[in-house]
Amino acid sequence: MTIDTKSGNGRTKGRSLALAAVRGLGVALVSLPGAVLCFTLSLVSMALIPIGIGLVTTPYVLQGVRAFANWRRVLAAEWGGVRIPPAYRPLPRDANPWSRTFGMLRDPATWRDLMWLPADMTAGFLTALLPAALWLYPLEGFALAAGLWRVFPEGYWYGFVEVTGQLSAFGAAALGLVILFSARFLTPLLLDVHLRLTQAVLGSGQRELAERVRVLTETRRDAVDTSAAELRRIERDLHDGAQARLVAVGMDLGTIEALLDKDPAKARELIAQARRSSVEALSELRELVRGIHPPVLAERGLGDAVRALALRLPVATEVNVDLPGRAEAPVESAAYFAVSEVLTNAVKHSGADRIWVDLHHADGHLRVTVTDNGKGGAVIGAGSGLAGVERRLGTFDGVLAVGSPAGGPTMVTMEIPCALS
């Protein structure tokens, strides 16, 4: 049996070219209105700062700009392997509107985002649209050659060919063939140019290393503060929960010892009470341990831990895992609790009746996507669980992108650089 590898390779290349064209068209249709809206709202909101309104609106608008930019970072990584790490400075959780507004405006990454928006709505739009245009425009030339030229009795310009009759219409078709042939080579190149343009403007340039060191220093401090708060929570839970129950059990046992001969019935009642208290203390200890580091995560890895998490949700949840190995324990723990927080938000606030979770590893990055069919409107802002997720991922140089239009659906994408073993 002979296998036609050339035809198979041709079909694969054709599918990749078509996919590149469709991706470019999709980005062009979304990026132009998205960039215009983000840029306009940013200018209006910052202009209203002197009268006080902008102090309230600017942080939310800039968070929307960051979510839009992070979504494009994720697309650049998934479609072209172009890494554009974010370098946003973390803000204090309890910051007032004044501190949040001017904290974000003092961040160089904010101004890179704002400079990127005009570039994205102009050159970015064209470089994303051209791959699809190179495949669609030749159809017009073929239609002219097939007789469409008769609809234009006064002539019609197709490219640089003036179509006035059948002969010139054939010339338009020939030009269409040249454009179609060029599209095979230019489509992936143009999409790559679009991604590189995004990287050039959104990336932090020559100061990238210093900026990343600064951001990692701040996220490390954030992680230390979070760890300290977590230790205090564990101490409080132990003191108020399991420890109090165990003390009560000890006191009950002392009373039982004194009543064994005098009042056996009362002693048996206290034994039953001590048994219930010990069971409750053990249950609380298990919950506490699960909150620190779930046993299933340590024993079976991130995929099974997320599956176990999904089984406990009151909403139908489908989990798809494609992980050929395991990441380091801190990365797995960060990813697990990030997924847990996103799922909790979806259950509490989205009104969804179905959730999809996808975990896979590609190009040296662990990528997790959580999608729900709820009402949408999720944003990364002060007081939201997503802000905490962003800080958690930032400790590992991770990225969080949220797409949640009003009416839904909501898609939350998390990406952490790591290697699997």
Side-chain angles (χ1 to χ4, degrees):
M1 181 178 64
T2 302
I3 300 176
D4 189 354
T5 56
K6 290 185 178 180
S7 62
N9 292 337
R11 286 193 296 270
T12 302
K13 183 175 178 58
R15 282 194 296 267
S16 64
L17 291 175
L19 182 61
V22 171
R23 285 174 170 176
L25 180 61
V27 169
L29 295 178
V30 174
S31 67
L32 180 59
V36 171
L37 179 63
C38 288
F39 190 67
T40 303
L41 289 178
S42 299
L43 292 181
V44 172
S45 184
M46 288 188 292
L48 295 175
I49 289 177
I51 62 174
I53 298 176
L55 290 175
V56 178
T57 60
T58 299
Y60 295 100
V61 172
L62 294 181
Q63 285 288 359
V65 173
R66 290 184 177 187
F68 184 61
N70 280 335
W71 173 65
R72 298 296 290 279
R73 287 183 173 98
V74 172
L75 290 187
E78 289 183 345
W79 291 356
V82 178
R83 305 294 172 189
I84 314 172
Y88 300 117
R89 295 178 179 176
L91 296 170
R93 299 183 185 182
D94 56 349
N96 57 41
W98 178 277
S99 299
R100 286 189 57 80
T101 298
F102 288 97
M104 297 180 80
L105 290 177
R106 284 193 296 267
D107 190 346
T110 298
W111 295 102
R112 282 196 297 272
D113 288 351
L114 295 177
M115 288 188 294
W116 165 71
L117 291 173
D120 191 52
M121 70 179 73
T122 52
F125 172 74
L126 290 176
T127 52
L129 183 63
L130 278 175
L134 289 174
W135 290 96
L136 296 176
Y137 191 52
L139 299 179
E140 183 181 346
F142 302 151
L144 289 169
L148 184 63
W149 65 271
R150 294 186 176 87
V151 180
F152 308 99
E154 297 181 359
Y156 181 84
W157 283 95
Y158 177 76
F160 57 82
V161 176
E162 184 181 9
V163 180
T164 56
Q166 187 62 55
L167 185 61
S168 54
F170 284 139
L175 178 58
L177 282 174
V178 172
I179 296 174
L180 195 61
F181 179 76
S182 302
R184 289 178 55 86
F185 306 98
L186 294 178
T187 296
L189 178 62
L190 287 169
L191 187 60
D192 186 66
V193 168
H194 173 81
L195 300 178
R196 296 295 174 183
L197 174 65
T198 304
Q199 182 187 42
V201 184
L202 278 183
S204 51
Q206 295 180 350
R207 296 180 298 172
E208 180 175 354
L209 182 57
E211 187 76 5
R212 294 306 301 151
V213 170
R214 183 195 54 75
V215 170
L216 289 174
T217 300
E218 294 186 4
T219 54
R220 183 185 63 183
R221 184 174 61 246
D222 222 15
V224 171
D225 293 342
T226 302
S227 298
E230 185 68 10
L231 286 174
R232 289 192 296 271
R233 181 190 69 81
I234 294 170
E235 184 180 60
R236 185 176 61 251
D237 289 348
L238 282 173
H239 182 271
D240 298 341
Q243 178 178 310
R245 293 190 184 280
L246 291 174
V247 169
V249 169
M251 295 175 63
D252 287 342
L253 290 175
T255 305
I256 291 168
E257 187 177 10
L259 291 175
L260 277 175
D261 295 329
K262 298 178 182 179
D263 191 350
K266 183 64 175 178
R268 283 193 296 271
E269 182 181 337
L270 289 176
I271 289 173
Q273 179 178 323
R275 184 186 300 112
R276 288 193 299 270
S277 296
S278 66
V279 170
E280 291 173 356
L282 182 60
S283 176
E284 289 182 0
L285 286 173
R286 285 173 176 167
E287 287 297 323
L288 186 61
V289 170
R290 186 179 292 112
I292 299 171
H293 193 78
V296 66
L297 179 62
E299 296 168 5
R300 304 179 61 180
L302 180 61
D304 286 339
V306 172
R307 289 191 181 100
L309 187 65
L311 290 175
R312 297 198 297 268
L313 296 178
V315 176
T317 304
E318 180 180 333
V319 180
N320 178 45
V321 179
D322 182 16
L323 298 176
R326 294 191 58 173
E328 295 181 352
V331 173
E332 282 193 333
S333 180
Y336 173 84
F337 286 108
V339 172
S340 177
E341 181 66 33
V342 172
L343 290 176
T344 300
N345 283 352
V347 172
K348 285 184 177 179
H349 307 299
S350 71
D353 58 17
R354 194 161 186 84
I355 300 174
W356 296 266
V357 183
D358 178 76
L359 298 92
H360 65 277
H361 187 270
D363 301 325
H365 285 68
L366 172 66
R367 191 169 296 124
V368 184
T369 304
V370 180
T371 308
D372 68 65
N373 62 352
K375 61 186 178 182
V379 294
I380 306 174
S384 75
L386 293 176
V389 172
E390 187 176 43
R391 285 192 297 270
R392 184 186 294 274
L393 298 180
T395 307
F396 298 89
D397 206 16
V399 178
L400 174 69
V402 179
S404 185
T410 295
M411 176 180 288
V412 179
T413 302
M414 296 163 279
E415 187 177 273
I416 306 175
C418 67
L420 299 186
S421 58

